[in-house]
Amino acid sequence: SLAAVLPLVSAYPITGNDVNCRAGPGTDSKVVKTYAKGTDVKVTCQANGESISGSTIWDKTSDNCYVSDFYVKTGSSGMVVGECSGGSKPPSGGSSYNGKISRKEILQRANYWVSRHIPYSMSKTYPDPQGRRYRTDCSGFVSMALHANSPGYSTVSLPEIAKPISWSDIKPGDLVGTLGPGTGGAAGHVTLFKSFTDKTKKKYNTLECRGSAGCVAHVREVGWKDGKFTSKPYRYIRVTD
């Protein structure tokens, strides 16, 4: 008789105390389960996510949740099983490189990275849905979402393609950041505006790449500051309303 063929699932011990297993590969995702030290977990696939003590790999367990690979003794600093499938599908919008683009497609392109929890880096790159590579920092992420120059504008140069607007005029897919002279490197930051959190319009929902969190959905106060700079809203010159 033919033996049943089962999927390959490997088990590895947890090395930390009370290690949380989360709904997604990042600490902003809700806790689904907590593992005691020494617990053997079955790893079904792995994904990139928030950096934890230098490791951006997260292990999806048979409990259908993610635990940082830093706390799992796999014997390797790389992936030991297949990469998890999933993430949002590539946007179906029809924009061309440096061409006109809809607000819907800007947000879809942004979510393409956010749903994959791409790790933040000021030097590394990751492909957009068409395979063109962009820096995985805040301005590279925004450039990718806008389908603009690769590997991406900087916070200093983004005003070349984005004009200042008022908070009362802001719409989904617009930019909010500390941009222009003096904001290079870690001195500036930029986000995509998604929506206000409520009718008071004091906070807004963002899509952005930031520090150890990587590319995520986040909430910020209107007029947040970065050092001596106060954030302001901008609009991409090629967005179609």
Side-chain angles (χ1 to χ4, degrees), residues 31-134:
V31 176
V32 175
K33 189 179 180 70
T34 300
Y35 295 121
K37 186 175 183 179
T39 301
D40 282 335
V41 294
K42 294 180 179 179
V43 178
T44 59
C45 62
Q46 292 175 295
N48 281 305
E50 180 181 347
S51 177
I52 303 295
S53 298
S55 175
T56 61
I57 296 175
W58 286 69
D59 304 333
K60 188 174 185 180
T61 75
S62 56
D63 293 310
N64 200 33
C65 54
Y66 294 82
V67 61
S68 170
D69 190 64
F70 177 76
Y71 298 110
V72 184
K73 189 176 182 180
T74 63
S76 172
S77 59
M79 291 189 177
V80 295
V81 297
E83 189 169 3
C84 300
S85 60
S88 67
K89 295 181 180 179
S92 56
S95 70
S96 59
Y97 184 50
N98 278 318
K100 292 182 179 180
I101 187 170
S102 69
R103 296 180 180 280
K104 180 180 179 181
E105 188 179 352
I106 290 172
L107 296 177
Q108 285 178 329
R109 287 177 63 87
N111 196 54
Y112 185 71
W113 276 18
V114 169
S115 67
R116 288 162 174 76
H117 222 105
I118 304 304
Y120 178 95
S121 173
M122 296 178 71
S123 59
K124 294 181 180 179
T125 62
Y126 189 83
D128 74 350
Q130 288 73 37
R132 185 174 284 108
R133 302 190 74 88
Y134 289 84

Side-chain angles (χ1 to χ4, degrees), residues 6-43:
L6 299 176
L8 180 62
V9 178
S10 302
Y12 304 97
I14 294 290
T15 61
N17 294 312
D18 298 325
V19 175
N20 290 326
C21 196
R22 298 177 178 272
T27 55
D28 57 342
S29 296
K30 70 176 182 179
V31 176
V32 175
K33 189 179 180 70
T34 300
Y35 295 121
K37 186 175 183 179
T39 301
D40 282 335
V41 294
K42 294 180 179 179
V43 178

Side-chain angles (χ1 to χ4, degrees), residues 86-229:
S88 67
K89 295 181 180 179
S92 56
S95 70
S96 59
Y97 184 50
N98 278 318
K100 292 182 179 180
I101 187 170
S102 69
R103 296 180 180 280
K104 180 180 179 181
E105 188 179 352
I106 290 172
L107 296 177
Q108 285 178 329
R109 287 177 63 87
N111 196 54
Y112 185 71
W113 276 18
V114 169
S115 67
R116 288 162 174 76
H117 222 105
I118 304 304
Y120 178 95
S121 173
M122 296 178 71
S123 59
K124 294 181 180 179
T125 62
Y126 189 83
D128 74 350
Q130 288 73 37
R132 185 174 284 108
R133 302 190 74 88
Y134 289 84
R135 283 190 329 277
T136 56
D137 59 9
C138 64
S139 53
F141 166 74
V142 167
S143 299
M144 182 279 298
L146 300 178
H147 211 171
N149 279 356
S150 166
Y153 287 86
S154 67
T155 50
V156 174
S157 60
L158 268 171
E160 295 174 11
I161 61 167
K163 60 182 181 180
I165 58 173
S166 66
W167 279 104
S168 62
D169 192 35
I170 198 166
K171 298 178 181 179
D174 285 332
L175 289 58
V176 178
T178 50
L179 307 180
T183 65
H189 186 61
V190 64
T191 72
L192 282 176
F193 177 87
K194 190 175 181 182
S195 63
F196 286 111
T197 58
D198 57 41
K199 63 182 181 181
T200 66
K201 297 185 177 181
K202 292 182 178 180
K203 295 182 180 180
Y204 71 99
N205 297 304
T206 83
L207 296 174
E208 61 181 282
C209 288
R210 61 185 190 95
S212 63
C215 297
V216 294
H218 188 49
V219 173
R220 288 184 176 269
E221 292 187 357
V222 167
W224 51 269
K225 295 182 180 295
D226 193 351
K228 64 180 181 180
F229 299 104

